Amino acid sequence: MNKSGIALATFVAMALLTQTAVAQQDRKVSIRFAAVIGDQPFTCGNSYEGIGTTASKVTPSDFRFYVSGVELIDAAGKAVPVKLDQDERWQHRDVALLDFENRTGPCLTGTQETRDIVAGTVPAGTYRGLRFTLGVPFELNHADATIAPSPLNLTSLFWNWQAGYKFLRVDLSTKGRPQDIKPGDMPRFGDRAASNRLGFAIHLGSTMCAAEGTNKAPANCGNPNRPTIEFSSFDPEKDVVLADLKSVLEGVDVDTNQAESPAGCMSTPTDGDCNPLLRNFGLVFAGQPAQQKFFRVKK
């Protein structure tokens, strides 16, 4: 073998060794989520009793949310980012969509496909905790959703350029706030009369985003409304993150709506229907402290 042949063989061997080393250092993870109402799983068309201050009977018709900045906490307490699989469907950059509705029964505003995992890669190691953000990062939150890559192309989860995405969308038909929605129904931003057809809506997103118009991106938002969730004890191989609608509605009257306000809570800082709801997501509201109640870990 001449010198050039030896050099080529050495290069190929080193490349293979590097690939093998990288493969050994990486670990695939699938962080599982589940949507529940108390101790019952969420299912489109099912009704659930004993919700909120009026112990109302509710029928959810949507249950979707975005998470981002997902990290595992290693044995030394260091947060290690999960490099999300770029599947061109559920995950883009560091954002993932969790979707529990399947467009059956009253779930008329969503899609047939569902998703209950965040999939990605971390360096090999031992992990004991989990941290993530509920929401879409600012740099991805204020653009044209109609040309955005999936999963940021769902206009049913988008207000406008100025306000950005609904980080979470849950719509409820309740005893006092019945729904009147049709397939694909999507009330325009600010259309209070149309929003009333949603019953009691929970749309979490950024507010006080000053911009020249609703089709303009803001420089910042006064209320980012992106709670960071952290669990000090979480085994990614066994545990499941539960998103509990009953817990987040503790202290909330889902049967009435504040006059002259959008249906339910659409994150408006002057909407009394958002208190204590937003605080139950872990967000300070009206200067009052927050305690996250939406997520918990099932061992």
Side-chain angles (χ1 to χ4, degrees), residues 1-14:
M1 183 180 295
N2 57 31
K3 289 184 178 179
S4 60
I6 293 174
L8 177 60
T10 302
F11 173 80
V12 171
M14 291 183 66

Side-chain angles (χ1 to χ4, degrees), residues 138-158:
F138 180 84
E139 61 270 22
L140 294 174
N141 195 37
H142 303 279
D144 187 349
T146 63
I147 59 173
S150 186
L152 298 174
N153 59 346
L154 296 171
T155 54
S156 60
L157 295 178
F158 188 72

Side-chain angles (χ1 to χ4, degrees), residues 21-261:
V22 170
Q24 290 175 342
Q25 292 170 359
D26 289 342
R27 169 184 168 184
K28 299 290 288 184
V29 292
S30 291
I31 299 168
R32 294 181 295 160
F33 286 75
V36 300
I37 296 89
D39 58 0
Q40 303 177 64
F42 162 74
T43 301
C44 284
N46 280 10
S47 296
Y48 306 86
E49 298 184 341
I51 305 300
T53 59
T54 58
S56 185
K57 180 178 180 180
V58 306
T59 305
S61 61
D62 206 334
F63 204 139
R64 292 177 283 175
F65 55 85
Y66 290 102
V67 298
S68 59
V70 181
E71 300 173 308
L72 293 180
I73 312 298
D74 69 13
K78 178 184 177 183
V80 179
V82 177
K83 184 179 180 181
L84 301 190
D85 296 343
Q86 301 299 290
D87 57 13
E88 300 182 350
R89 179 68 183 91
W90 299 105
Q91 303 182 161
H92 173 67
R93 291 173 58 174
D94 69 336
V95 179
L97 175 65
L98 284 306
D99 184 345
F100 301 98
E101 56 74 36
N102 59 5
R103 204 178 172 83
T104 61
C107 297
L108 300 174
T109 55
T111 59
Q112 293 180 336
E113 301 84 2
T114 61
R115 176 77 166 185
D116 62 0
I117 64 168
V118 173
T121 305
V122 291
T126 301
Y127 296 96
R128 61 165 178 77
L130 171 68
R131 184 161 65 196
F132 62 89
T133 296
L134 175 59
V136 176
F138 180 84
E139 61 270 22
L140 294 174
N141 195 37
H142 303 279
D144 187 349
T146 63
I147 59 173
S150 186
L152 298 174
N153 59 346
L154 296 171
T155 54
S156 60
L157 295 178
F158 188 72
W159 280 316
N160 52 44
W161 288 33
Q162 181 181 9
Y165 288 87
K166 301 167 189 173
F167 303 153
L168 171 142
R169 178 172 181 170
V170 174
D171 298 325
L172 303 170
S173 184
T174 77
K175 190 167 51 179
R177 300 279 304 168
Q179 290 182 331
D180 180 24
I181 58 177
K182 301 174 179 60
D185 205 1
M186 191 168 54
R188 292 178 299 168
F189 181 79
D191 188 342
R192 292 178 182 173
S195 77
N196 280 323
R197 297 200 304 270
L198 297 176
F200 191 95
I202 307 170
H203 295 178
L204 177 66
S206 297
T207 59
M208 297 182 68
C209 305
E212 295 178 357
T214 57
N215 63 343
K216 301 290 184 182
N220 55 64
C221 295
N223 296 320
N225 288 342
R226 297 183 187 86
T228 297
I229 313 300
E230 181 168 343
F231 298 112
S232 59
S233 177
F234 182 83
D235 184 343
E237 297 292 333
K238 302 177 181 176
D239 297 345
V240 181
V241 180
L242 301 182
D244 188 350
L245 186 58
K246 184 174 184 178
S247 293
V248 84
L249 287 170
E250 286 181 7
V252 178
D253 180 355
V254 298
D255 287 322
T256 58
N257 197 66
Q258 177 177 299
E260 302 300 321
S261 72

